[in-house]
């Protein structure tokens, strides 16, 4: 992380603390989690969501449309992927 990134994150922590009343340590963890979430590649997102949905006992026939819809709604939308492409990400 560069010096300017650290300063920006410090300012963001202060803002979150002021606007939510969270402790600085909690605000910093929250920000780190959000940054990591939005830093996921498409492949990482697909694998993570597939595993989460499988743990909730969804079948693959139900999982692929859910993941495809979620990819389209992400802040930086991934390219539209077919069910076959999604399967290949998860299973190789």
């Amino acid at each position: 992380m560069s010096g300017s990134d650290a300063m920006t994150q410090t300012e963001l922590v202060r803002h979150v603390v002021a606007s939510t009343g969270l402790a600085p340590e909690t605000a910093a963890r929250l920000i780190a989690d959000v940054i990591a979430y939005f830093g996921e590649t498409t492949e990482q997102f697909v694998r993570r969501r597939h595993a989460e949905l499988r743990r909730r006992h969804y079948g693959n026939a139900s999982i692929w449309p859910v993941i495809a819809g979620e990819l389209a709604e992400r802040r930086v939308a991934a390219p539209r992927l077919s069910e076959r492409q999604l399967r290949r990400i998860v299973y190789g």
Side-chain angles (χ1 to χ4, degrees), residues 14-31:
R14 276 191 233 134
H15 173 75
V16 171
V17 167
S19 67
T20 65
L22 291 172
E25 299 80 18
T26 303
R29 274 196 317 272
L30 172 69
I31 292 164

Side-chain angles (χ1 to χ4, degrees), residues 5-90:
D5 289 342
M7 182 51 127
T8 302
Q9 191 162 350
T10 300
E11 291 171 7
L12 182 56
V13 169
R14 276 191 233 134
H15 173 75
V16 171
V17 167
S19 67
T20 65
L22 291 172
E25 299 80 18
T26 303
R29 274 196 317 272
L30 172 69
I31 292 164
D33 284 348
V34 170
I35 290 169
Y37 176 82
F38 284 111
E40 278 184 318
T41 66
T42 299
E43 291 79 9
Q44 290 168 328
F45 175 82
V46 169
R47 288 184 188 108
R48 179 179 59 77
R49 284 299 289 146
H50 181 267
E52 289 171 356
L53 293 169
R54 291 294 293 173
R55 282 192 298 275
R56 292 172 48 195
H57 306 289
Y58 281 67
N60 279 338
S62 300
I63 289 174
W64 307 127
V66 169
I67 292 175
E70 290 174 350
L71 283 171
E73 294 175 1
R74 286 181 60 88
R75 182 174 176 117
V76 177
R80 184 168 235 174
L81 300 174
S82 69
E83 183 177 314
R84 182 172 188 253
Q85 289 171 308
L86 293 170
R87 281 195 315 263
R88 292 198 78 193
I89 289 171
V90 173

